[in-house]
Amino acid sequence: MGMELLEQKILSEGKVLSDTVVKVDSFLNHQVDPVLMQKIGEEFAARFSDKKITKVLTLESSGIAPATMTGLTLGVPAVFARKRKSLTLVDHLYTAEVHSFTKNTTNEISVSKDYISKDDTVLILDDFLANGQAVRGLMDIVKQADASLAGVGIIIEKGFQEGGKQLREQDIRIESLATIASLEGGKIDFKNEGATV
Amino acid sequence: MGMELLEQKILSEGKVLSDTVVKVDSFLNHQVDPVLMQKIGEEFAARFSDKKITKVLTLESSGIAPATMTGLTLGVPAVFARKRKSLTLVDHLYTAEVHSFTKNTTNEISVSKDYISKDDTVLILDDFLANGQAVRGLMDIVKQADASLAGVGIIIEKGFQEGGKQLREQDIRIESLATIASLEGGKIDFKNEGATV
C-alpha cells in the first residue's frame, strides 16, 4: 500500500526525466526533507513491527537519512554500506558487487564485520528499487554475515521494472512506500495508491 | 565547550589509529547511532538558535545523518553536497574542489542551484574538522550562491590541526561538539571538556 504523504510529495516535486526515470532531488536524493524522513522512518518501523529487528542496513548516500530515522524509531543502529570502485583493503569486510544499469558502472560495496553478525535481524532499506541490484548486494552481505533478513523497505519502487517481482518470487518480504506503475508521457501513476498517511 | 555524551562515546568507542587519526565507525562514519545523532541535531540547533537558519548544508556521506537531525530540530531542509572525481555536467551546479590530505585525493563537490539561493542563511555541518578543506569547499558554494553563512557545526574537531584556528581567524563562527587536543600515545585528550550533556 502506498504512503499518501510520500506519493503527494512525489507528484508535486518529482521530475519525470524519461519513461523510466523520476528525479526526487528536492526531498530525498540531494536535498532532504527531515520531517518526511521521520515519517518514513515511523512507517517502516510500523510495517516491520512484527519482526525483532536489530540493525537497519542501507547503502550510502541516499539511504542514510531514512535508515537513521527508521533506526531511531526502532531503537536500533543503522549501518550504511560503502561504495567504492575497487577495494584495496578487504580485511574484515563483507563485500558484494552492485551493478548500476542507469550509470553502467559496477561498484563494490562493503560493510565491516564489526557491525553485522549472525545474531542480527536485519532490515534492508533503500531509496529506489528498480532492477534490484543494490538490494541483492545488501542481501549478499546479510548472508555472508549469517544474519537473518527481516525484509526490505523501499521508498520508491519502480513497479514497471523487474526487481520487486523477482525478489518477491524468492519470498523476500518487500514493503514499498510508493510504487510507480508508470511514468509514461511524463505522468506519474501509482499502484495501490495511498492507504496510509 | 564539549558535549559530554559525545565525548564519552568517543572515549569508549573511538579507535586511535595514529597520533592524528581516530576512527569512529561504530556510531558516526559507518554504523550510525540514531539517538546520538538526534541529540547532536538538538545541540547544533540550540547553539545556533540566535540565527535564522533556512538550510543545513553538509557533504555526503557521514554528514547526512547529523544534518538531517539538525534540520529536523530547526524545521528546515538539509542539503548534501555530492562528491565526484570529475564532473561532466556542471550545468546548474555550484562546484568546488576539496582536497583530502588523508587520502591525497581531490574531489569536486557540487550542489544544485535549485537548493541554495541568495535568500538562504546556511548552517554548514561536517563530521570532522582537521585542515578545513571540506568546510572551505562548502563555504565556497555558499558564497557562489550569494547566501548568508550562519556558521559551521563540527562534530569532532582535531584541535591539533590548523583548520579550526584558520577559520576562526577569518571570523567564521565554529561550534565543535568535541575538540580533541591530542591523540598522542593512543590517548584521547579533549579541550574544554564536557560542559553540555
Side-chain angles (χ1 to χ4, degrees), chain A residues 35-155:
Chain A
V35 175
L36 180 64
M37 292 305 124
Q38 186 181 44
K39 291 189 190 299
I40 283 173
E42 289 166 359
E43 180 73 23
F44 281 132
R47 292 191 185 204
F48 288 96
S49 61
D50 58 317
K51 301 276 183 181
K52 284 200 166 37
I53 292 160
T54 62
K55 290 278 162 92
V56 179
L57 176 64
T58 190
L59 192 54
E60 61 180 356
S61 291
S62 296
I64 296 175
T68 301
M69 289 299 184
T70 306
L72 184 70
T73 312
L74 290 168
V76 304
V79 176
F80 58 91
R82 289 164 171 161
K83 287 177 200 169
R84 326 188 203 186
K85 286 284 176 240
S86 72
L87 289 167
T88 40
L89 281 172
V90 293
D91 255 23
H92 203 63
L93 291 177
Y94 307 116
T95 67
E97 287 203 343
V98 173
H99 183 74
S100 161
F101 287 97
T102 329
K103 297 177 191 163
N104 197 25
T105 55
T106 300
N107 281 291
E108 215 153 346
I109 65 168
S110 67
V111 173
S112 164
K113 291 186 180 174
D114 287 340
Y115 305 123
I116 301 188
S117 78
K118 63 174 175 47
D119 300 325
D120 280 317
T121 300
V122 179
L123 171 61
I124 289 175
L125 283 195
D126 207 8
D127 55 344
F128 274 95
L129 174 62
N131 294 290
Q133 296 300 307
V135 167
R136 262 184 264 270
L138 292 169
M139 282 172 55
D140 190 357
I141 283 171
V142 172
K143 196 175 170 187
Q144 289 173 46
D146 213 8
S148 306
L149 178 66
V152 177
I154 296 293
I155 299 179

Side-chain angles (χ1 to χ4, degrees), chain B residues 49-68:
Chain B
S49 61
D50 58 318
K51 301 276 185 181
K52 286 203 164 36
I53 291 161
T54 62
K55 290 278 162 91
V56 179
L57 175 65
T58 190
L59 193 54
E60 62 180 354
S61 291
S62 296
I64 297 174
T68 302

Side-chain angles (χ1 to χ4, degrees), chain A residues 137-180:
Chain A
L138 292 169
M139 282 172 55
D140 190 357
I141 283 171
V142 172
K143 196 175 170 187
Q144 289 173 46
D146 213 8
S148 306
L149 178 66
V152 177
I154 296 293
I155 299 179
I156 303 174
E157 179 176 343
K158 293 179 178 176
F160 51 86
Q161 289 186 321
E162 291 303 302
K165 183 165 168 279
Q166 289 165 359
L167 290 165
R168 287 184 183 94
E169 280 170 4
Q170 287 178 256
D171 268 341
I172 309 298
R173 173 158 162 205
I174 303 183
E175 294 282 348
S176 297
L177 303 190
T179 302
I180 295 174

